[in-house]
């Protein structure tokens, strides 16, 4: 009798070992259905705090809470069997101290079943990254454009285009790598800088508006599927589902109003025989 082996999840150490190897494929997901569709094709699914903007209509990621991340994280874990699930630590839940970060990360890992967390920041967060890793929490770093800092950055423009800022971001990447992060997201930074970081740090880099030289790539699923009306320069639309969905809804509405839906094939016949 043959026994079919169950699918085994990708782990953070396996992603770290992919430095310089086969590119790491990543996408975001926020609920079980899309996560199930992604699971056979990607290595990493990020439950990003971008869910605040994509799913909840917020202007920025700043208002996102730990409870929101846990609800969506649970759903994504339920919908998957293979991909490594990474959950963002939301703004205000980890910056005050490494101890605070550990409590938040431990709660998220316990209550979602995810395999890692992600946090934003470079040198200022290196101590926290090391603290978490030393206590059994795999950490994905994030440098360059850090959306949680939008109120101090002032805009979502690309970073690292001048020499001074490029050196700052390079130092951030080195610090996070040396602190033990298993991968680092490089968001919206000048291509030569992303390439240089990838060449210099021992940790795999995952670009989103970075460079084709990065060790992997990530996009927001709704952006690449054409569900968002406006997207950053670094997004390639692989489909245009927004107009298709609106067309389908329009046709449905017309048929309901015309009473052509539901048709005979969409309703249930009675099993009760008419008694004379």
């Amino acid at each position: 009798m043959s026994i079919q082996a169950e699918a085994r999840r990708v782990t953070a150490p396996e992603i770290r070992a992919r430095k310089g190897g086969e590119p790491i494929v990543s996408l975001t997901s926020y609920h079980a259905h899309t996560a199930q569709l992604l699971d056979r094709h990607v290595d990493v699914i990020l439950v990003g705090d971008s869910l605040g903007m994509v799913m909840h209509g917020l202007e920025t990621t700043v208002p996102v809470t730990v409870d929101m991340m846990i609800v969506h994280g649970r759903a994504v874990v339920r919908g998957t069997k293979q991909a490594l699930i990474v959950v963002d630590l939301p703004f205000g839940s980890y910056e005050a101290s490494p101890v605070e970060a550990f409590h938040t990360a431990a709660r998220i890992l316990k209550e979602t079943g995810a395999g890692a967390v992600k946090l934003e920041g470079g040198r200022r967060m290196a101590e926290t990254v090391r603290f978490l890793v030393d206590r059994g929490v795999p950490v994905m770093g994030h440098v360059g454009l850090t959306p949680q800092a939008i109120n101090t950055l002032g805009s979502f423009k690309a970073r690292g285009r001048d020499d001074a800022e490029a050196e700052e971001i390079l130092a951030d990447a080195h610090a996070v790598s040396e602190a033990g992060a298993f991968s680092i997201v490089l968001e919206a930074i000048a291509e030569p800088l992303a390439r240089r970081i990838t060449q210099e740090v021992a940790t795999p880099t995952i670009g989103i508006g970075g460079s084709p030289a990065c060790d992997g790539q990530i996009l927001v699923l709704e952006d690449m599927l054409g569900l968002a009306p406006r997207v950053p320069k670094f997004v390639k639309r692989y489909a245009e589902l927004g107009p298709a969905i609106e067309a389908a809804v329009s046709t449905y509405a017309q048929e309901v109003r015309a009473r052509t839906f539901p048709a005979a094939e969409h309703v249930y016949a009675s099993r009760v025989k008419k008694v004379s």
Side-chain angles (χ1 to χ4, degrees), residues 17 37 61 70 86 96 117 121 136 154 160 173 198 206 222 234 243 246 264:
L37 295 174
T61 63
I70 288 173
V86 181
V117 299
T198 301
I206 299 178
E222 285 74 8
F234 55 72
E246 186 171 2

Side-chain angles (χ1 to χ4, degrees), residues 120-131:
E120 295 182 6
R123 287 161 293 173
R124 65 183 177 84
M125 296 308 302
E127 179 187 357
T128 295
V129 172
R130 184 174 290 106
F131 189 90

Side-chain angles (χ1 to χ4, degrees), residues 158-218:
R159 306 288 155 176
R161 285 179 160 175
D162 62 71
D163 290 344
E165 190 173 58
E167 289 300 321
E168 294 284 320
I169 295 172
L170 179 63
D172 284 340
H174 275 287
V176 172
S177 175
E178 292 163 8
F182 73 90
S183 61
I184 306 172
V185 171
L186 307 181
E187 180 168 0
I189 64 176
E191 196 280 332
L193 174 60
R195 185 177 295 269
R196 181 181 173 188
I197 291 171
T198 301
Q199 292 170 345
E200 290 190 13
V201 302
T203 303
T205 59
I206 299 178
I208 177 167
S211 169
C214 289
D215 296 294
Q217 303 293 331
I218 187 168

